[in-house]
Amino acid sequence: MVLETIAIALWAMLPAYIPNNAAVIFGGGRPIDGGRTLGGSRLLGDGKTWRGAVAGIAAGAVLAVFLNRIVDSVSNAITVSLPEFSIFAILLLPAGAILGDIGASFLKRRTGRERGAPFPGVDQLDFVVGALLLVAIPAVLGIHDWFFDVFGLGELLAVFIITPVLHVVTNAIAYWIGFKDEPW
Ligand code: CTP
Ligand code: MG
C-alpha cells in the first residue's frame, strides 16, 4: 500500500526530476534575464539560461515519452499499476519544474542571495511545487484530469517527503563529479 503509493509518486514525478539536472549539464550561454536588474540585483542571474531551460524541458518530455513505452512492463514487474503520462503531463511536468527553479532564483535575488547561495527548503522543493502547480492547472479548470487521477493525498505526501532527500543526494553526487559548483 505505502510502497505502491511511493512507486506511483516517484514514477509520476520522474519527468519533473530530470529537467534541473539536464539544465546543469547542458546549460550555459545567454541568461534568460538578459542581464536585467531589479532594485539593484539581477532579475534571475547568470545561473538561469535559455539553453538550460530548453534542454531541461526537452529532457523531461523525452523521458516521459520513454516511460510511456515501458510503463506496462514495469507495472507488471513490480505489480503496481503505474500511470501513463498524458500529453499535458509530458509537457507541463518538465516546464513546471523549470519554471519553479526560475521562480526560486527570482526569490533568491529579491532576498539578497547571490547566484549559487543556498536557500534551504526552496532549493529542494521549487521544481516539485512548480511541476505540480502547472500540471494541476488544467485539472482545476476541469480541462484535463491527469493530475487528479494520479495524485491523491498519499502521493503528494510521498513526493514532499522523498524529493528533498533525493535532491540532496543527487546534488551531492553532481558536485562530487564536478558538474555543480556547490553541493546544493
Ligand atoms: N542552469 C542553466 N539554466 C537553467 C538552470 C540551471 O543554465 N535554467 C545551469 C547553470 O549553469 C547553473 C547550474 O545549472 O549555474 C546550476 O543550477 P542552479 O543551482 O539552479 O543555479 P545557480 O547557479 O545555483 O543559481 P541560483 O542561485 O539562481 O539558483
Ligand atoms: Mg543553485
Side-chain angles (χ1 to χ4, degrees), residues 1-119:
M1 223 343 240
V2 174
L3 286 180
E4 186 176 352
T5 303
I6 291 171
I8 291 170
L10 289 184
W11 181 269
M13 289 309 286
L14 279 174
Y17 286 154
I18 292 304
N20 290 297
N21 298 302
V24 173
I25 295 170
F26 300 111
R30 215 166 88 76
I32 294 170
D33 67 9
R36 276 181 281 274
T37 58
L38 177 67
S41 301
R42 285 286 294 276
L43 200 58
L44 303 173
D46 283 332
K48 302 297 112 127
T49 68
W50 286 109
R51 204 167 75 206
V54 170
I57 294 170
V62 166
L63 177 69
V65 170
F66 170 73
L67 293 178
N68 276 350
R69 296 181 66 105
I70 62 168
V71 67
D72 289 337
S73 40
V74 177
S75 293
N76 283 333
I78 66 173
T79 61
V80 174
S81 177
L82 297 167
E84 239 182 273
F85 296 99
S86 68
I87 186 68
F88 275 83
I90 290 171
L91 296 173
L92 296 183
L93 286 170
I98 289 291
L99 284 175
D101 179 55
I102 288 172
S105 289
F106 180 80
L107 285 181
K108 284 181 172 184
R109 302 301 94 84
R110 304 287 75 70
T111 54
R113 291 174 169 82
E114 297 296 330
R115 174 187 178 182
F119 198 165

Side-chain angles (χ1 to χ4, degrees), residues 138-163:
V140 170
L141 293 178
I143 297 168
H144 179 73
D145 271 348
W146 188 86
F147 173 76
F148 291 145
D149 291 345
V150 175
F151 286 97
L153 202 59
E155 284 78 13
L156 288 176
L157 211 63
V159 167
F160 280 97
I161 293 170
I162 296 168
T163 305

